[in-house]
Amino acid sequence: MKRIVVVAGAIAAIAAVLWFVRGGDDSARDALRETAPTPAAAPARARPAQPAAPPEIRFAVDDDREGTLRLEGQVIDPDQRPIGGATVRIDSNPPRETTTEEDGSFAFDRLVGRTYEIVARSDEGVAGPVTTRLTATTEPVILIVRPAASVEVRVVAADTRRPIDGATVQLRGLVADTAVTGAGGVARLDRVPAGGYQIAARAPGYAQATTWLRVGGAAGVEPVELALKPGAAVAGRVVDESGRPVQGAVVLYSGVSDWAQQAHPQFDGVVTGEDGAFRFAALPAGTFRFTARHPDFGPGASEPITLDGRSERTGVVVQLEPGAVLAGTVVDAGGKPVEAAAVRVALGGRGMRFGPPRQTYSGDDGRFEMRGLPRREVRVIAVHETASSETVAVDLSERPERTDVTLSLDVTGRIAGHVVDADGEPVEGAQVMLWPDFRRGAGPAMRDFRMRGQAVALTDAGGAFEFRGLVDMPYQVRANPPGVTGRGRAFLREGVPAKVGDDSIVITLERDGAIKGRVAFDDGTPAQVFVVSLGGFRGGTPVTAKDGAFELTDVPPRTYQVSIRGPDFEQTTVADVDVAPGQTVDLGTITVRKGRSITGRVVTAQGAPVAGATVVLGKTLFGSGSSTSIGGRFGPPGAQRNKTTTTDDRGEFAIHGVPSYTLNIVAEHDEAGRTAPVTIPGSRESVHGLELVMQPTGALEGIVTIGGKPADGIRVSCQSQTVPGAIFGVATGADGRFRFDRLAPGSYMVSAMTGGNPMRGMGFHDGKSVTIASNQTTTVALEIGQGDVELVVNLRAKNGELRFAQVFAVQGEVRATTARELSIEIANRAGGFSSFGMSIGGRPTTIRDLSPGEYTVCAAPYPAEVQGMQPTIDYMEREGDNLAIYCAPVTVTPEPKQQSLDIEVEIPAFVPPDQGS
């Protein structure tokens, strides 16, 4: 049995533009909805939310074999008093729990040497999660209990919004809890440790609904609402290639159009019986694939199945492929077998869908084996506490049984140092984390780093830490104090530059400070619902307070740009807030401006009001193949501030606190359809009486091929040609097929996407213009070009230092002069190839997969004053459309395989924000 294990990973700050990476701060998003929680009476005290940590890397871990190691520890309170009777959970596979003795001690035996996350829960609160690498010399883990957060889940019917009593609610993550909704459809889950969770709810007659939530490390209540849609049963069989039933296969479902609908392997899987049969009790309307795994076979998937959510669907067939076997030996540099090395396998290919690498461990003879792999090219790596191997490509398509693979642990890079407090005293039990430093050129190593995983360590009694098996590239090291959890918390601290060979790194942990203040409108009325952000991608701490007061505790000392945003006012930023060690900064009253409002009405084509429609307003309307409102959770930077509301019984809506730059708006409804996107021009003036006309949606489906063969895991982009800021995306399956279930009638540009690192180019292939009509399905075929030339683009600034620029490559001639004009031109250019990338710190951008021909490469540089992830995203939303572009034509020839182009640019003047924007 495999289990998905989350391992904290590093993806470049530029990965903020990757559309399909999960891990958004849903609590911040929920706080910005028009329907806000009831304000609390007292000022909100909370640790700042995790604002800048990169998305997490996940591994699908095979069951742990029995090991020989023992992990010991102790659970204590902040005054170092032991806590007996606490429940301690470790993320072994399967997970294990134990209870602390009276002295707070605990132990887990028979563990294999690897990285583990440990968390404790008691009546006093929670401790952890703490991540440690278990070796024969690992010291006891100290878990400090602190007050814990709670999650309050309200479950309603999607069509009527009425609460559902008796619904089952599940918390899925490092800890797993279940509760049942009572009166009002509310269930409460207490003592929730910090971290990312899936929240699921189900009830008889309804399909399961899920959402993602990141819980901070402070006490408080995180509100979540889940709307359940009607569902109907789906049944079928799993068979082998000869059509014989397969018993014991695990069947999951996966949304084809709505990729947020994914079965959880641990909680949602269905195991087939003797006749190979499986049955899911209720799934909603939409298009799904049903996948199956079995240790004796390769993976299998059904064709896309479109459900109506009301009538039972039977006869679904999942055919398992003949499986492949990968086996071999992990050895050290001297050729001796190595026990307990993690062996990870990931699929090769050109797609952007990053499925979790599968992971197992070597035995005491160094041998490892993985069965049930697909017969495709894979990449494999071994990681051990002492060293790691290079990534090895293995082709299982022609030779499906490879039992002779040798992984040599000859990558021996080492970084070591100490964590000390402000007085220079060693800090025991600090959580130390190592990330590639993408600003200093580690970007090309991203794919390899994803296989290696996050490097973490706990300091010993002398404050010492050590990392081994590192690839030679620039890194940054950060640390959290004992008892403080979260990658995002570490990213609030300044990173210490490091390189392989450094063995005297010193990380100084000064006392944390705090930031407090009060948010009010210019008439003195307090703002009661808002989010306070200290920077970072999609970060922020939600606040509800009747008097507008807030206080963020455990704030690392440094200088911050404090941003306040809310559903009823424009974002306001307080610049250069210096937090000194152990001090509280009082910002006083922060005055915010209500800004302009957008009001209007959603109606059918016959003029009838549409009640309960979801209205989304934002710079970028990003969605799946089924919904536009998904953007705030998973979308690109332009979607993170989207505002959402619901129409009333008269079909009317109102959105307040609208910024002055150009925005787009759309409305959708499960039954009535979707409106065409409408652009709201930039202005300080409010817009009233806007009418959005709802039309039945249409569908788009097709196939993506490479060299005439189906392309798996390719992202398909569908962009409105009238409003380029409306973008939707899905992914292909192993058969190369894709489907958008719900698109508003209109014209779209559909492209197949490759790549995943903007510094190395993200390609858009074979763009085709399609027209979507109501209640009809349009088909399209896309072919990914097999060009093999790389173009290295070097930007030269003639008036200063270049810090950041967007880079575009387009087949043919470009006439645009601004970034917005270029986006419109690309959205309306059918055929050929285009690419998007970034230059960070003036480093080159590489455009890959080019075929010989004529291209134009354009760069949009940003002002030198724009520095850091969140300021760049803010400026991109506010002024990105207006940036001048600098273009150069280039002829790509068949040889050499790597070519270069220099473009001279002029860094633009910084445009400061209007007050309140």
Side-chain angles (χ1 to χ4, degrees):
M1 185 70 168
K2 294 188 291 294
R3 173 172 169 265
I4 301 298
V5 173
V6 178
V7 177
I11 293 181
I14 54 175
V17 304
L18 295 181
W19 294 352
F20 297 94
V21 175
R22 291 186 178 179
D25 186 344
D26 287 349
S27 57
R29 178 206 55 167
D30 291 340
L32 291 180
R33 295 183 67 90
E34 290 294 306
T35 304
T38 301
R45 295 175 58 91
R47 293 188 184 90
Q50 304 175 0
E56 296 169 327
I57 289 176
R58 300 168 183 263
F59 298 130
V61 181
D62 290 0
D63 280 350
D64 294 344
R65 65 177 180 81
E66 184 173 299
T68 60
L69 299 180
R70 176 182 174 91
L71 177 67
E72 298 180 345
Q74 186 183 30
V75 179
I76 60 176
D77 66 17
D79 297 322
Q80 300 190 0
R81 292 174 299 204
I83 297 178
T87 300
V88 183
R89 182 182 175 93
I90 187 171
D91 70 336
S92 56
N93 194 32
R96 293 166 58 184
E97 290 186 351
T98 190
T99 303
T100 58
E101 304 291 341
E102 290 185 5
D103 63 355
S105 63
F106 66 88
F108 293 98
D109 292 309
R110 301 184 302 281
L111 293 174
V112 68
R114 68 169 174 92
T115 298
Y116 293 96
E117 276 194 301
I118 307 103
V119 65
R121 307 170 80 189
S122 72
D123 293 339
E124 292 83 356
V126 300
V130 167
T131 305
T132 187
R133 173 77 187 184
L134 179 60
T135 69
T137 59
T138 297
E139 296 188 359
V141 174
I142 305 300
L143 296 172
I144 304 174
V145 169
R146 295 174 179 266
S150 297
V151 177
E152 191 171 85
V153 183
R154 183 171 183 262
V155 182
V156 301
D159 52 355
T160 65
R161 310 299 300 175
R162 292 179 179 173
I164 299 176
D165 299 348
T168 300
V169 175
Q170 286 183 315
L171 178 76
R172 302 169 170 183
L174 183 57
V175 297
D177 270 349
T178 300
V180 177
T181 59
V186 175
R188 182 172 171 129
L189 302 158
D190 293 317
R191 298 181 300 155
V192 179
Y197 295 89
Q198 185 186 63
I199 311 295
R202 62 180 184 273
Y206 292 94
Q208 177 174 274
T210 63
T211 190
W212 293 90
L213 175 70
R214 179 159 294 279
V215 176
V221 178
E222 300 277 5
V224 174
E225 183 176 275
L226 286 172
L228 303 189
K229 297 179 181 180
V234 178
R237 289 194 313 141
V238 176
V239 300
D240 64 15
E241 59 180 333
S242 300
R244 293 186 295 264
V246 177
Q247 181 181 7
V250 178
V251 184
L252 303 171
Y253 58 82
S254 175
V256 174
S257 178
D258 184 354
W259 34 263
Q261 293 180 326
Q262 303 288 331
H264 194 292
Q266 182 180 350
F267 298 97
D268 299 327
V270 175
V271 179
T272 58
E274 292 183 3
D275 56 356
F278 67 87
R279 186 176 189 273
F280 291 94
L283 288 178
T287 302
F288 293 85
R289 279 191 181 87
F290 296 87
T291 61
R293 298 290 187 271
H294 191 281
D296 296 333
F297 298 89
S302 72
E303 63 180 3
I305 305 293
T306 300
L307 309 174
D308 63 11
R310 299 187 182 277
S311 56
E312 181 173 355
R313 179 65 178 266
T314 60
V316 176
V317 176
V318 180
Q319 181 174 306
L320 294 178
E321 305 171 1
V325 178
L326 179 67
T329 307
V330 181
V331 299
D332 62 19
K336 296 181 179 179
V338 176
E339 180 184 8
V343 179
R344 296 169 186 155
V345 175
L347 294 179
R350 299 170 67 187
M352 290 180 65
R353 184 173 60 191
F354 297 141
R358 185 171 160 186
Q359 177 175 292
T360 190
Y361 299 93
S362 60
D364 53 11
D365 58 355
R367 295 288 297 174
F368 67 90
E369 181 181 86
M370 280 192 188
R371 307 185 69 85
L373 291 170
R375 295 188 175 187
R376 294 175 51 183
E377 180 182 331
V378 299
R379 294 177 296 119
V380 58
I381 192 174
V383 178
H384 190 258
E385 62 181 275
T386 58
S388 63
S389 75
E390 298 287 353
T391 304
V392 178
V394 181
D395 191 348
L396 297 174
S397 60
E398 297 182 359
R399 186 179 164 191
E401 290 196 18
R402 287 291 304 272
T403 60
D404 57 349
V405 176
T406 299
L407 300 175
S408 178
L409 301 178
D410 48 18
V411 178
T412 57
R414 176 179 179 270
I415 291 176
H418 290 78
V419 178
V420 299
D421 62 20
D423 298 323
E425 296 297 319
V427 177
E428 180 181 6
Q431 184 83 75
V432 187
M433 287 154 275
L434 186 76
W435 277 276
D437 190 341
F438 300 102
R439 293 178 298 180
R440 294 192 293 147
M446 181 59 236
R447 185 175 184 181
D448 187 60
F449 181 73
R450 179 173 167 268
M451 290 282 287
R452 295 179 182 277
Q454 175 65 64
V456 295
L458 287 177
T459 56
D460 62 18
F465 64 87
E466 180 185 53
F467 299 105
R468 290 183 177 270
L470 301 176
V471 176
D472 189 6
M473 61 180 174
Y475 293 92
Q476 282 200 344
V477 191
R478 290 178 170 86
N480 275 333
V484 176
T485 63
R487 295 170 302 117
R489 300 285 296 115
F491 258 74
L492 284 176
R493 304 177 190 278
E494 297 291 347
V496 177
K499 63 182 183 301
V500 167
D502 290 344
D503 59 5
S504 56
I505 299 291
V506 176
I507 302 175
T508 301
L509 289 178
E510 298 181 296
R511 289 181 59 197
D512 286 343
I515 298 175
K516 69 178 183 179
R518 179 177 178 269
V519 181
F521 295 103
D522 49 15
D523 62 0
T525 304
Q528 299 184 350
V529 178
F530 51 89
V531 171
V532 184
S533 174
L534 301 183
F537 178 44
R538 280 191 295 210
T541 300
V543 176
T544 58
K546 288 185 177 180
D547 59 358
F550 69 91
E551 182 173 0
L552 304 182
T553 62
D554 294 341
V555 178
R558 53 169 285 195
T559 300
Y560 295 93
Q561 311 296 314
V562 181
S563 296
I564 314 292
R565 65 184 190 272
D568 297 320
F569 57 87
E570 296 183 53
Q571 176 169 304
T572 296
T573 299
V574 182
D576 300 328
V577 177
D578 293 316
V579 177
Q583 301 298 311
T584 297
V585 177
D586 190 346
L587 300 179
T589 298
I590 302 168
T591 302
V592 295
R593 187 167 59 183
K594 292 185 177 181
R596 59 175 174 160
S597 298
I598 308 294
T599 66
R601 189 166 177 256
V602 179
V603 298
T604 66
Q606 293 73 36
V610 180
T614 299
V615 183
V616 184
L617 173 75
K619 183 76 171 181
T620 300
L621 302 175
F622 175 80
S624 66
S626 300
S627 174
T628 305
S629 57
I630 203 167
R633 292 167 55 197
F634 304 114
Q640 69 169 285
R641 290 192 204 164
N642 287 3
K643 290 176 179 284
T644 302
T645 190
T646 304
T647 57
D648 62 18
D649 291 342
R650 298 183 299 276
E652 296 177 352
F653 67 89
I655 301 177
H656 306 290
V658 177
S660 59
Y661 49 77
T662 299
L663 297 165
N664 303 303
I665 191 169
V666 70
E668 60 188 7
H669 186 276
D670 283 346
E671 302 296 335
R674 184 181 297 171
T675 69
V678 174
T679 297
I680 307 294
S683 170
R684 274 287 167 201
E685 299 298 321
S686 294
V687 176
H688 299 297
L690 183 67
E691 186 170 88
L692 301 176
V693 180
M694 190 79 71
Q695 303 178 67
T697 58
L700 172 67
E701 62 185 23
I703 187 170
V704 178
T705 55
I706 299 177
K709 297 181 179 180
D712 183 20
I714 298 296
R715 299 299 180 185
V716 180
S717 168
C718 184
Q719 183 177 24
S720 169
Q721 291 186 284
T722 55
V723 180
I727 307 169
F728 307 89
V730 298
T732 63
D735 55 4
R737 295 172 63 183
F738 66 88
R739 179 178 168 90
F740 294 80
D741 280 340
R742 295 166 56 84
L743 293 171
S747 60
Y748 296 85
M749 179 62 63
V750 187
S751 305
M753 299 172 61
T754 57
N757 184 339
M759 284 191 295
R760 294 185 61 81
M762 298 165 59
F764 296 77
H765 300 259
D766 198 18
K768 291 184 177 177
S769 179
V770 300
T771 300
I772 302 299
S774 294
N775 301 316
Q776 295 184 22
T777 299
T778 302
T779 60
V780 65
L782 303 174
E783 172 74 14
I784 293 178
Q786 294 184 288
D788 58 358
V789 179
E790 290 188 349
L791 181 65
V792 179
V793 181
N794 301 291
L795 304 183
R796 310 292 185 215
K798 60 183 180 181
N799 62 333
E801 181 183 1
L802 178 67
R803 295 183 179 274
F804 177 80
Q806 295 172 298
V807 180
F808 306 85
V810 183
Q811 209 159 8
E813 183 183 358
V814 168
R815 293 184 173 85
T817 60
T818 66
R820 176 170 175 80
E821 290 175 359
L822 181 61
S823 68
I824 295 174
E825 189 170 332
I826 292 174
N828 285 276
R829 181 179 295 218
F833 172 87
S834 64
S835 174
F836 169 77
M838 294 183 179
S839 171
I840 296 179
R843 285 188 297 277
T845 298
T846 302
I847 302 170
R848 298 183 296 171
D849 304 331
L850 291 174
S851 298
E854 303 296 326
Y855 295 83
T856 302
V857 179
C858 301
Y862 278 59
E865 293 86 347
V866 180
Q867 301 181 37
M869 186 192 310
Q870 190 62 46
T872 301
I873 293 173
D874 290 344
Y875 202 85
M876 190 181 299
E877 291 187 356
R878 182 165 55 84
E879 295 293 334
D881 282 351
N882 304 321
L883 291 173
I885 58 174
Y886 298 83
C887 301
V890 59
T891 300
V892 174
T893 56
E895 297 290 342
K897 295 305 179 186
Q898 187 175 83
Q899 302 170 33
S900 63
L901 174 69
D902 294 341
I903 301 179
E904 187 176 64
V905 301
E906 184 172 336
I907 297 175
F910 178 75
V911 179
D914 291 339
Q915 180 184 357
S917 66

